Amino acid sequence: MTEESQSTGNGRGTTAAGAESLSVTDNRTGQSYEVEIEDGTVRAMDFRQIKVDEDDFGLMTYDPGYSNTASCRSAITYIDGEKGILEHRGIPIEQLCEHSSYLEVAYLLNYGRLPTEDELNRWTYEITHHTYVHENIKNFMNGFRHDANPMGMLQASVGALSTFYPEAQDIDDEYQRHVAAVRLIAKMPTLAAFAYRHSLGLPYVYPDNDLSYAGNFLSMLFKMAEPKYEPDPRLEKALDVLFILHADHEQNCSAAAVRVVGSSRVDPFSAIAAGCAGLYGPLHGGANVAVLRMLQRIGTTDNVPDFLEGVKQGDERLMGFGHRVYKNYDPRARIIRSHVDEVLEATNKESPLLDIAIELEKRALDDDYFTSRKLYPNVDFYSGLIYEALGIPTDAFTVMFAIPRTSGWMAQWMEMMDDPELKIARPRQIYTGPRDADYVPIDER
Ligand code: SDX
């Protein structure tokens, strides 16, 4: 192979110049390389052979925030950011919200297809009968301050769950993977409800197996002295749709955290505790809390123009707007918006914040500053208004995101564990620090 046609190949042999390749010339050496293009990507490792001399480590790619780096192959969720398309295993989110249920979507995500009626009944039975947590978890919960942030409590409790199921460390066992998925999907609402009840100093409410997944969660949150909690079917349905809308969203920050931590072959409970930590951040799952606080701070629709000016001056961020992938309206925001009025009616709530949100959206979408940056409402812009109407405390809004996202995180983890290209995540760096320094004794500093 002559230097001129030296190919960085794909590490699996050489690649002759062709349509599915890049021809790269290193102007430092004049050498040319052919780099294979596969599935619209080039392999970063194919650039390591591009060197100026034998001592050269070779070229790396540099991509802060991984804005243009595919970390894996996945068949779970497809997003077209320009067209505002979201599909799970190829089925559009709009159809899933209209025809499916959260538990059915959770099965679809984790097992790659819609379940038969028997499979769905068994899946529902298994999850319904795994909602209890070990009584020691209550003692663990009681150790938190009364005003502890519910996401902090949830992330800690999920990690603690790993110590109650040491068999989950057998991550190559299909049954252990399945039962970990069932336990995590089943117990997240229980942990979330216990954290909520702890923050109010109320006794914990145990799961009610007669109720649906969403209905049981409402019961564990709000049941008081009544013998049996009767959820409002309209709220049950709205919550189930919200759970579907938050179930998975391909390689977002928290899913990436689950994959990075999971690549060390830790148990899935610990990997998903990392996902909780990632979701906690205000730029990710914490945005729904930040949206409500932003609307409360704006106070009235009259203040919206000044607030938007502050955003354009860089003094504020329009929380609930913008997305790394969607450069169009987030399809989930559109569906959530359609449920807000129904929930307000069912809860007999007025929402002055809704009027402010509608005014914000109207003005922002009519303002070149936002449209030129392709900033449209995302999943978090309206969801908080529903949670507020349901009586969920603002600090617990992100917990409402974590509950359904658990099925997506688990699906990402399961898919990763079967990936033949799975390697422990270990990025490189561009070193910018000093070299060859000497230790200085303290009396000489
Ligand atoms: C979720 O990834 C996922 O899929 C996440 C999620 C999921 O389901 O898992 O969809 C859930 O996290 C939704 C996003 C929730 N976050 C927010 O609503 C917080 C507000 N939005 C942003 O901070 C921001 O839009 C991000 C973090 C969502 C995306 O940021 P990017 O892609 O890194 O874009 P950027 O920060 O580089 O911004 C590009 C430009 C910048 O302006 P310039 O420097 O070019 O002048 O747009 C501006 C930013 O200043 N910008 C905003 C803005 N978002 C971006 N300006 C004002 N308000 C905003 N919200």
Side-chain angles (χ1 to χ4, degrees), residues 67 79 248-249 251-254 279 282-285 287 291 311 316-327 330 332 369-370 373 375 378-380 401 405:
S67 296
I79 301 173
D248 188 65
H249 212 243
Q251 305 312 314
N252 53 75
C253 175
S254 54
L279 192 73
L283 291 188
H284 187 14
V291 169
V311 172
E316 302 269 0
R317 190 147 267 227
L318 182 50
M319 302 309 278
F321 263 65
H323 199 279
R324 174 65 57 79
V325 177
Y326 288 124
K327 301 308 173 189
D330 183 334
R332 300 169 296 175
Y369 176 91
F370 299 96
R373 288 172 173 77
L375 300 177
N378 60 45
V379 67
D380 294 299
F401 196 146
R405 187 52 58 92

